Amino acid sequence: MRPARLAVALSALLSASVLPFVSAVPAGAEPAAPDLATTVRAKIVEKAAPRAGARVTTADTEVNVMREGSTWVFGSAIAKAPHVEGAYPEGWLFVANRKGGAWQVAFEGESAFPALTSAAPAAVVSGPEKKIFASHGRSTVDKSPSRDAKPLAGGDFRTGMRLPWAVGQTWRLTGGPHGASRQSIDVAGGDGRVLAARGGTFYVMCASQRGWVRVAHDRGYSTDYYHLQGNRTDNGVTVAEGAFLGNIGVDVSCGGSATGPHNHFSLRQNAVYIGIASHSLGKWQVYNGAAEYQGYALHGSAQANVGGSLYNYGPLGFTEGVVDTNGGGVLNKRSGPGTNYGVVGTVPDGNTVAISCSANGTSHTGRFNYTTAMWNRLSDGSWISDAFTWTGTGNPVNGWC
């Protein structure tokens, strides 16, 4: 079916008892399965988090068909939020295949999702999408004993992501970590153009084709961008880091509320929202406050509180670190891995360093009482303590020397 007919297909899908592209079941055949919309809605109700102690109902759900073939469908499944402050929609990409008169439906985070997307025809799930989805493990929320869970960050908070606006621009942190998992921050300012934090595949989540977009990245990560206006709508396209996604706005097509134009930016891994705290974004790390919407961000020893400014330094490479002296100033570089070696130079707090390898040496304690004997050899041959280098992990980022 051509893209121009998707809106018509969606309307038929949600109102008819049988999908329009499924042929009638001949006499004597097994009974027809429930229509796809009914099946998907039931899964949404099952998976969505309760609200005010009550389960989501089918009236709160939305099914958005993005692509379809004779027996295959790919789209998004949404649990819309009430239009009140502090309410947020939930959503999953899904793939479905009709076989033997029944629909097999897999949501992101379920073990069947990578396998089913891999089996789908390229017209329904493209090659680049299949590669991305193969990197997404099953959510640890699913406790099925027969399936191995892939841990979330697993102690590695490197993302390879920039902040979701132009490198070199300064925006404001208008809301600290919030949401059930403290997965989101609010940002606004600059030229208002919201850009992809990292390359991946792009989707519009709401059936309205407005407001809420998602980019699925490698390493199991996805990023969500909500309240956008003028967003792009080319579902499934591969986007590069820094690609235009939309503009800050107040759209609430899938629920919630917005009092001023901003980007509600959220972090997911393996199909669930995860705490955004400690993850690297534009060489900053955001940290939780005592309550939702509070908190702060750090770049080295520089701190930006809610309402403060975030300069986008671009993504931190997976073999790079940011110097954090835990107070400002400069960090001594040594000729070997320890303070028993001579000083051969200094590097300012907040600078980015390229790490060649790591080795053990003298032990030191940095921010948040992080104590380690690991030292990092830089690309110029000098050494600095990992206690004063933010890399996103306490392990070597480029192997042992």
Side-chain angles (χ1 to χ4, degrees):
M1 187 174 292
R2 293 188 294 274
R5 296 177 60 191
L6 284 180
V8 175
L10 177 61
S11 175
L13 175 66
L14 298 181
S15 61
S17 59
V18 179
L19 287 174
F21 53 86
V22 177
S23 60
V25 178
E30 63 187 56
D35 73 278
L36 179 58
T38 300
T39 304
V40 174
R41 289 181 189 276
K43 284 182 72 75
I44 297 170
V45 170
E46 175 188 350
K47 294 180 72 70
R51 295 170 182 168
R55 295 190 67 178
V56 168
T57 69
T58 55
D60 303 315
T61 64
E62 184 176 275
V63 180
N64 175 24
V65 174
M66 299 178 185
R67 274 160 276 153
E68 55 187 1
S70 60
T71 61
W72 289 87
V73 174
F74 181 85
S76 63
I78 307 298
K80 294 183 291 184
H83 289 283
V84 297
E85 185 177 357
Y88 314 101
E90 292 184 81
W92 303 264
L93 299 174
F94 77 87
V95 62
N97 177 222
R98 188 176 179 91
K99 182 178 292 186
W103 283 103
Q104 180 185 6
V105 178
F107 280 22
E108 289 178 284
E110 296 177 342
S111 58
F113 185 77
L116 207 57
T117 52
S118 177
V124 176
V125 182
S126 70
E129 289 177 298
K130 294 179 182 187
K131 183 176 180 180
I132 289 287
F133 296 146
S135 76
H136 288 212
R138 184 177 61 81
S139 164
T140 54
V141 170
D142 182 356
K143 300 297 185 180
S144 303
S146 62
R147 300 166 184 166
D148 293 329
K150 180 177 179 180
L152 297 179
D156 186 345
F157 295 92
R158 296 174 296 170
T159 65
M161 296 181 192
R162 67 199 284 172
L163 287 163
W165 58 85
V167 172
Q169 278 194 13
T170 298
W171 284 31
R172 288 177 294 111
L173 177 65
T174 58
H178 54 280
S181 300
R182 300 287 182 95
Q183 72 270 11
S184 307
I185 57 173
D186 292 337
V187 290
D191 59 7
R193 289 168 52 86
V194 177
L195 310 181
R198 184 168 172 80
T201 52
F202 170 85
Y203 307 94
V204 184
M205 299 301 290
C206 303
S208 68
Q209 294 295 289
R210 300 195 311 271
W212 179 12
V213 305
R214 175 172 295 169
V215 180
H217 311 287
D218 57 358
R219 305 179 79 244
Y221 284 109
S222 296
T223 47
D224 281 6
Y225 313 73
Y226 194 33
H227 304 312
L228 305 190
Q229 65 180 32
N231 57 271
R232 63 192 301 167
T233 58
D234 44 351
N235 280 306
V237 70
T238 298
V239 295
E241 175 208 322
F244 175 75
L245 304 180
N247 300 294
I248 58 173
V250 293
D251 185 273
V252 288
S253 292
C254 279
S257 67
T259 56
H262 69 281
N263 173 21
H264 176 82
F265 177 77
S266 306
L267 187 65
R268 295 167 61 87
Q269 192 175 33
N270 299 331
V272 295
Y273 290 113
I274 60 171
I276 199 169
S278 301
H279 289 85
S280 177
L281 299 166
K283 300 183 182 178
W284 292 84
Q285 305 86 48
V286 179
Y287 293 96
N288 296 335
E292 291 190 67
Y293 296 96
Q294 298 179 8
Y296 61 96
L298 289 175
H299 170 77
S301 297
Q303 180 170 321
N305 297 320
V306 172
S309 298
L310 297 178
Y311 178 88
N312 194 352
Y313 293 94
L316 183 68
F318 290 103
T319 59
E320 293 181 331
V322 174
V323 174
D324 180 3
T325 62
N326 195 19
V330 298
L331 180 65
N332 286 332
K333 299 194 291 184
R334 302 275 179 170
S335 60
T339 52
N340 51 322
Y341 291 87
V343 175
V344 294
T346 60
V347 57
D349 180 270
N351 269 30
T352 301
V353 293
I355 297 171
S356 299
C357 58
S358 301
N360 285 320
T362 54
S363 181
H364 301 275
T365 300
R367 189 180 300 278
F368 304 132
N369 293 317
Y370 170 54
T371 300
T372 182
M374 189 169 72
W375 284 66
N376 299 315
R377 188 171 75 186
L378 306 185
S379 55
D380 64 359
S382 65
W383 295 78
I384 60 175
S385 169
D386 194 66
F388 306 108
T389 314
W390 194 95
T391 62
T393 175
N395 297 315
V397 297
N398 208 8
W400 292 102
C401 297

